[in-house]
Amino acid sequence: MCGIVGYVGERDAVSVIMDGLKRLEYRGYDSAGIATLEDGRFASRRRVGKLVNLELSLKEAPMEGRIGIGHTRWATHGEPNEGNAHPHGATDVVVVHNGIIENYLKLRKKLVSLGYEFASDTDTEVIPHLIDFYTKKGLNAEAAFRMALSELEGSYGVAVICASAPDTVFAARKASPLVLGVGEDESLVASDIPALLSYTRDVIFLNDGDVAILTAKEVRVTDIEGEPLDRPVTTIQWSPAMAEKGGYKHFMLKEIFEQPRAIAETLTGKLNSIEGRVTLEGEGADEIAANLKALHIVACGTSYHASMVAKYWIEKMARMPVSVDLASEYRYRDPLISEGTGLLLVSQSGETADTLAALEEGRVKGAPVLAICNVLGSSLSRRADATLYTHAGPEIGVASTKAFTTQLVTLYMMALFLGRARGHLSNSDVLEKMELLRHVPGAIEAALEYEEEYKKCALAIKESRSAIFLGRGLNFPIALEGALKLKEISYIHAEGYAAGEMKHGPIALVDKDLPVISILTPSPNYEKMLSNIEEVRARGGICYAVAVAGDESAEALSAGILPVPSFEEELMPIVAAIPLQLLAYHVAELKGTDVDQPRNLAKAVTVE
């Protein structure tokens, strides 16, 4: 949510910042703005809506400067209008900010009493006025920035430029991600990696409480008191091209078709075929696994659905009880974490606020923490005891696709790891299942070849007002995910249900206008799923089925088939997700919605 880009160097700051903001559009926003500093004077521009509005304004009246900050805002305090858009400024200070300043009303009252006037309804505007207040008391820009930070309560990722320090960008982080880019004779700050990749792959991830001072020649990181901190430079392997559409109409479609490669790269280096084991990054993972008696998996959104599939796998292979919690609920229910209970946190970005809060809840109660994450150096991966990375590369489309399937593959590997460490899987068991995993990319490639069949189903349901997705066992979470994908990008109301629950209420919704999409792949529940479809048909519902190509029973009962190749039952949920992703995509495309940036949504929810 929200995007920050700051630059200082020899290039045109406006070009660099606008390029970076475009690469952060997937985070979700409703307004955008930019500020530069040239010859001691600020220039600033803000516009409501998409970046193109800001871009057109800059073409009509260009701005100059070799230092600047920019922002895409997703409204929290104050409605989305030009007055509330960032940057916000005082006389000699301009600020962009992600997060929520919880004590802003108290600070605002104090500043108004000191004669400061506010031009917006945002919490952010207290920051530049505080900095200005301390500079007027005689502090230099850096000291004033630190003093202002010391008064803020809540969360922030913030970047600041000051007229009194015309060659410096100041930045700080508390519970809102920021990453620094270390270039040659230039430095950058951004809220996510893709904004930096055109200029450098050498980055520094800030921890909570870190303060950064950036000039063209140097990047320093300190604590809030000014004590130097050693933060390592990490070289990111993603290339700028990985964040481009590559000829596809939308990022989402590109990312759907990248899944075979992403899964193959996720598997690389983690499967030791000689020892029959999975390798985690971090110390003490084997000891943690061997001593576990129970596992709490905590995640949000799509990651939560992947975690629900993992519950089946882990309980079967590691033979221990597993609970799956929404991160936004976990810490508020005072979870019971006894000796031997571990946490497994799943997040694409590694910066989801609720997931990180759940981590801290577990830490306080003494739980060891395992993580699955896509971003090297993210807050989650740094705080966890051991991590398995999904090497999906940057995922720009808001509706998660390749992050979901790589999470499923990685969670399956986690199940193998835990099963072996706890003595419930032998080396030969693990080797056999590893071999099955290696065939997943090929199975997904085969599924992608049925895209035209998926389009036919999309055409049939595009005018529907609602849809139901049904599954049993391992396929129940895939039904939930299919419904989420459809509602996210097409705005069709969709719900996923365990098929056995149809008679407990949802069947009342069935009529001649309701499409019901069932996941009917081979499983012990196959016959029961056929019965559920018959129940829907008997009440006039329109039935579609994700089924193995050539399944005559499925074809006989369905108005349309979303075919998949035959594959191992235990891993079929990964393959069954593909037609549901493409169904949602093509429905949205036919309806003309904004596929990559659906309304009201953000890629990473970094505030509560």
Side-chain angles (χ1 to χ4, degrees):
M1 289 164 43
C2 305
I4 285 175
V5 180
Y7 176 81
V8 56
E10 296 303 314
R11 302 180 201 252
D12 172 51
V14 172
S15 299
V16 174
I17 292 167
M18 290 298 294
D19 175 66
L21 291 177
K22 288 177 184 177
R23 296 177 189 277
L24 297 180
E25 283 191 287
Y26 64 91
R27 294 173 66 87
Y29 67 102
D30 46 50
S31 62
I34 187 171
T36 59
L37 181 61
E38 181 81 353
D39 296 328
R41 294 189 299 273
F42 287 115
S44 182
R45 196 76 47 81
R46 301 180 293 182
R47 291 293 183 268
V48 174
K50 296 296 185 182
L51 272 170
V52 64
N53 298 334
L54 180 61
E55 197 168 28
L56 288 172
S57 172
L58 290 168
K59 285 181 179 178
E60 293 170 359
M63 290 166 44
E64 296 182 348
R66 297 293 180 267
I67 182 171
I69 52 178
H71 191 264
T72 50
R73 176 180 186 253
W74 199 71
T76 52
H77 285 75
E79 65 183 67
N81 57 35
E82 193 168 307
N84 288 329
H86 296 213
H88 290 288
T91 307
D92 295 317
V93 184
V94 177
V95 173
V96 292
H97 161 239
N98 291 347
I100 297 173
I101 305 304
E102 294 174 357
N103 62 333
Y104 85 100
L105 287 174
K106 177 182 175 182
L107 293 172
R108 183 171 178 140
K109 184 177 180 180
K110 166 188 169 180
L111 289 162
V112 168
S113 72
L114 293 169
Y116 285 91
E117 296 182 359
F118 284 76
S120 78
D121 301 316
T122 70
D123 55 335
T124 298
E125 199 179 352
V126 300
I127 303 174
H129 290 315
L130 278 173
I131 297 171
D132 182 75
F133 170 73
Y134 283 112
T135 55
K136 283 182 168 58
K137 291 188 73 172
L139 298 181
N140 63 31
E142 182 177 333
F145 180 52
R146 295 183 193 282
M147 286 299 296
L149 292 175
S150 71
E151 293 203 40
L152 303 181
E153 297 174 8
S155 62
Y156 53 76
V158 61
V160 178
I161 52 177
C162 301
S164 59
D167 61 350
T168 306
V169 175
F170 301 101
R173 168 198 169 133
K174 181 182 178 184
S176 185
L178 279 183
V179 57
L180 311 180
V182 183
E184 186 173 340
D185 295 328
E186 60 186 356
S187 301
L188 302 95
V189 59
S191 44
D192 207 351
I193 294 168
L196 308 176
L197 291 178
S198 294
Y199 309 98
T200 182
R201 293 192 200 175
D202 292 333
V203 305
I204 297 171
F205 294 97
L206 295 183
N207 291 346
D208 281 353
D210 285 1
V211 176
I213 302 92
L214 297 85
T215 67
K217 300 293 185 182
E218 180 187 30
V219 172
R220 291 188 290 120
V221 181
T222 73
D223 63 17
I224 199 168
E225 303 296 333
E227 292 298 317
L229 296 171
D230 184 17
R231 297 287 181 248
V233 175
T234 300
T235 300
I236 299 298
Q237 298 306 314
W238 303 348
S239 68
M242 292 175 73
E244 299 293 343
K245 290 181 184 175
Y248 290 91
K249 186 172 183 179
H250 296 100
F251 280 113
M252 182 180 178
L253 186 62
K254 171 179 178 273
E255 288 156 6
I256 288 171
F257 277 85
E258 284 180 337
Q259 288 174 109
R261 176 201 58 78
I263 289 171
E265 291 187 4
T266 295
L267 294 173
T268 300
K270 296 191 181 74
L271 303 178
N272 187 322
S273 297
I274 297 174
E275 298 180 12
R277 59 176 287 133
V278 174
T279 303
L280 274 69
E281 296 187 31
E283 296 182 2
D286 289 301
E287 183 179 352
I288 290 171
N291 291 322
L292 286 180
K293 298 176 183 176
L295 188 67
H296 295 180
I297 309 181
V298 183
C300 296
T302 285
S303 298
Y304 175 72
H305 296 156
S307 300
M308 292 177 69
V309 179
K311 173 182 169 69
Y312 292 86
W313 288 334
I314 295 171
E315 288 193 338
K316 179 180 178 180
M317 289 188 251
R319 305 309 301 162
M320 65 176 169
V322 175
S323 67
V324 182
D325 277 89
L326 289 164
S328 56
E329 294 290 327
Y330 184 72
R331 64 180 166 136
Y332 297 111
R333 69 171 179 82
D334 191 19
L336 296 174
I337 300 177
S338 55
E339 185 178 353
T341 300
L343 256 62
L344 172 56
L345 302 172
V346 185
S347 169
Q348 187 280 137
S349 67
E351 301 293 350
T352 304
D354 287 318
T355 304
L356 294 176
L359 184 152
E360 295 307 319
E361 177 74 14
R363 281 274 187 240
V364 167
K365 295 186 175 183
V369 177
L370 305 174
I372 288 176
C373 185
N374 189 44
V375 181
L376 183 71
S378 64
S379 296
L380 176 59
S381 62
R382 293 200 307 273
R383 297 181 196 177
D385 296 303
T387 302
L388 265 177
Y389 286 102
T390 59
H391 291 283
E395 188 179 64
I396 307 302
V398 167
S400 181
T401 53
K402 64 177 180 174
F404 178 64
T405 52
T406 54
Q407 282 177 351
L408 285 172
V409 166
T410 309
L411 283 161
Y412 190 83
M413 286 191 284
M414 182 66 79
L416 296 180
F417 171 78
L418 293 172
R420 183 183 181 278
R422 289 171 52 78
H424 295 287
L425 292 179
S426 66
N427 283 13
S428 61
D429 292 332
V430 175
L431 287 170
E432 181 181 334
K433 292 178 182 296
M434 283 179 177
E435 189 58 32
L436 292 173
L437 269 179
R438 291 191 175 97
H439 291 285
V440 171
I444 289 179
E445 286 180 350
L448 291 169
E449 292 178 4
Y450 291 112
E451 184 183 11
E452 291 303 316
E453 298 299 313
Y454 308 154
K455 282 184 183 179
K456 292 176 184 176
C457 291
L459 186 62
I461 72 169
K462 72 181 180 69
E463 299 301 332
S464 301
R465 296 183 63 186
S466 295
I468 285 179
F469 290 72
L470 299 179
R472 285 178 179 259
L474 287 166
N475 285 330
F476 166 45
I478 305 305
L480 295 174
E481 178 63 13
L484 177 62
K485 288 285 97 62
L486 186 65
K487 74 178 77 170
E488 278 183 311
I489 60 172
S490 74
Y491 315 144
I492 292 174
H493 172 253
E495 300 296 337
Y497 291 100
E501 293 296 298
M502 277 294 284
K503 291 180 181 178
H504 295 273
I507 201 165
L509 298 172
V510 175
D511 62 21
K512 63 181 178 57
D513 298 317
L514 182 77
V516 177
I517 299 97
S518 300
I519 305 169
L520 190 58
T521 56
S523 75
N525 293 315
Y526 179 81
E527 297 296 333
K528 289 184 171 62
M529 283 297 301
L530 288 176
S531 296
N532 292 132
I533 294 173
E534 290 279 21
E535 290 170 349
V536 171
R537 279 166 49 87
R539 288 155 180 83
I542 313 162
C543 298
Y544 299 88
V546 175
V548 171
D551 183 331
E552 294 179 359
S553 296
E555 291 173 354
L557 295 177
S558 302
I561 294 292
L562 296 123
V564 291
S566 179
F567 197 60
E568 177 68 24
E569 175 197 324
E570 196 168 67
L571 292 169
M572 182 59 95
I574 306 172
V575 182
I578 306 305
L580 300 182
Q581 293 172 353
L582 281 168
L583 176 70
Y585 172 80
H586 286 295
V587 170
E589 171 67 0
L590 287 165
K591 289 173 69 70
T593 62
D594 192 338
V595 172
D596 285 332
Q597 297 169 45
R599 67 188 183 202
N600 303 331
L601 294 179
K603 183 65 178 174
V605 183
T606 56
V607 297
E608 284 195 81

